[in-house]
Amino acid sequence: MGKYLVLQSDFGLGDGAVSAMYGVAHTVSDDIKVNNLTHEIPPYDIWVASYRLYQTVKYWPKGTVFVSVVDPGVGSDRRSIACLTSTGHYIITPDNGSLSHIKHYDGLEKVIEINEVTSRLPHSEESHTFHGRDVYAYNGARLAAEEIDFEQLGREIALNSIEELEIIEAQLNDGVLSGSIDVLDIRFGSLWTNIPLSYLKDLNVVHGDDLVVTILHHNNKVYQNIIKFARSFADVNVGEPLVYVNSLVNIGVAVNQDSFSDLYHIGTGNEWTIQLSKAPSIE
C-alpha cells in the first residue's frame, strides 16, 4: 500500500471543512500523503461524485485509499461503507450510489459496512453532521497508514446490497450511435458521453469525417448539427464545434475555446441523450 489518501467532496474550499479532514488524517499519521481529487462536486450531486471516482481511481497506485463525501443523507439511517475495487483500490463513502460507475465499469471485490459507533474519531460521538471528518477521513487515514486492516472497519455485506444509480449503456443500432451525456469537462464546458471510441470505429468513422450530432432532453430534440470528428481542438477554427476522443477514450463534444454546455444549455445525466451518425456525403 502506498499510504496515499485522496479526498473528494462537495464542500468547496470556502470554509474549514476540507482542512479539518486533512487535520484528522495527519493526526492519525504523518506518514500518509493526503491529496485532493476535487472538492467542487455540485452540492448533493451523487451522480457526478460517482463519475469522478470512475474517472480517477484507476490512475492511482494500487492500495490508494479514496474518501468520497457527497452525503445529503448524513445523520440518517443510510450506511457508511468501504469497498475494495477490482483494480485494488479502496473507497470509503456513504452508501448512496457513489460507487455506481466503479461497480459497473471496473467491478468491486468486497464491501464492508462501517460501524459508525466504534469506528470514528474519538470524542466525536455527539456530532452527527460531519461524517466526512469523523468517520470517512478518520477511517481512510487509518487504512492508508496501515493501522487497521480493511476487514477491521466493520462487517462484510453483499455486493448487490449497496445503492446504485441507473447507468444506461451506449448502443449502436442501424448506423446510429446513442448514449448519455455523463458529465461535463467542467472548466471548458465540453460534453463527455458514455460512447466508446470503438463504436465509432465500428461505423468506419475516421478523423476528418463529418457526423450528424443530435442531443435530446427527455427525448425532445434540443440540438442538431453536422460536426467534424477531429483529432484535436487545433483541427477546427476558434468558435467551431468538434467531436473528439476524451481522456477516457470516450466520445466528447466541444466548441474550440468556448463552452458547448453554456452556449446550447446542455446538461448531464440519463435524461440527456446524444445520437451520432455519419453525415451523408455531398457529391
Side-chain angles (χ1 to χ4, degrees):
M1 191 177 294
K3 297 192 175 181
Y4 294 110
L5 177 64
V6 182
L7 306 179
Q8 169 176 276
S9 76
D10 58 354
F11 297 160
L13 297 174
D15 63 16
V18 172
S19 182
M21 292 170 70
Y22 266 71
V24 165
H26 286 301
T27 299
V28 169
S29 172
D30 266 335
D31 293 333
I32 60 175
K33 303 175 182 68
V34 186
N35 300 268
N36 295 324
L37 193 162
T38 180
H39 296 289
E40 301 301 329
I41 299 294
Y44 320 119
D45 197 329
I46 297 166
W47 174 273
V48 174
S50 174
Y51 193 92
R52 295 304 180 200
L53 287 170
Y54 163 62
Q55 178 187 351
T56 308
V57 165
K58 68 187 71 147
Y59 296 104
W60 280 81
K62 289 183 178 181
T64 297
V65 179
F66 291 80
V67 165
S68 179
V69 191
V70 177
D71 194 13
V74 63
S76 70
D77 59 358
R78 66 95 185 92
R79 299 182 296 189
S80 294
I81 55 177
C83 79
L84 172 63
T85 73
S86 297
T87 56
H89 302 85
Y90 298 96
I91 305 172
I92 297 178
T93 187
D95 181 19
N96 58 14
S98 294
L99 296 175
S100 297
H101 287 84
I102 289 282
K103 182 180 179 184
H104 185 84
Y105 291 110
D106 297 331
L108 301 179
E109 293 294 321
K110 186 180 293 188
V111 179
I112 298 289
E113 181 181 359
I114 297 172
N115 188 324
E116 294 180 3
V117 175
T118 60
S119 295
R120 64 181 299 135
L121 182 69
H123 312 299
S124 67
E125 295 82 3
E126 298 301 323
S127 174
H128 304 289
T129 59
F130 198 178
H131 286 172
R133 176 195 64 196
D134 300 335
V135 177
Y136 302 134
Y138 175 68
N139 284 304
R142 292 203 297 161
L143 187 59
E146 300 178 339
E147 289 192 359
I148 57 170
D149 294 327
F150 175 66
E151 289 77 10
Q152 291 178 277
L153 286 170
R155 65 180 184 90
E156 185 174 353
I157 59 177
L159 296 179
N160 62 6
S161 74
I162 66 172
E163 295 291 328
E164 293 185 62
L165 307 174
E166 181 184 16
I167 295 177
I168 299 173
E169 292 283 4
Q171 297 181 5
L172 172 57
N173 293 306
D174 298 325
V176 178
L177 288 171
S178 61
S180 59
I181 301 172
D182 278 347
V183 77
L184 300 180
D185 186 351
I186 293 295
R187 188 168 179 83
F188 302 106
S190 306
L191 315 181
W192 281 24
T193 80
N194 68 337
I195 300 173
L197 172 61
S198 60
Y199 281 30
L200 274 192
K201 291 182 176 180
D202 291 340
L203 282 180
N204 296 315
V205 173
V206 297
H207 289 117
D209 285 349
D210 288 331
L211 297 170
V212 178
V213 177
T214 305
I215 297 174
L216 304 99
H217 185 227
H218 293 297
N219 294 319
N220 296 312
K221 186 189 299 183
V222 296
Y223 176 90
Q224 188 171 63
N225 199 2
I226 295 177
I227 302 179
K228 180 180 179 180
F229 178 43
R231 185 181 299 274
S232 71
F233 285 67
D235 290 344
V236 300
N237 294 324
V238 173
E240 288 187 350
L242 67 150
V243 175
Y244 70 104
V245 180
N246 70 15
S247 59
L248 295 181
V249 200
N250 287 341
I251 300 305
V253 182
V255 173
N256 189 11
Q257 297 186 35
D258 210 333
S259 169
F260 195 104
S261 174
D262 288 347
L263 285 172
Y264 301 108
H265 310 291
I266 308 300
T268 63
N270 286 335
E271 67 268 24
W272 289 90
T273 55
I274 185 167
Q275 297 173 349
L276 306 174
S277 59
K278 260 190 169 181
S281 57
I282 300 175
E283 300 297 339

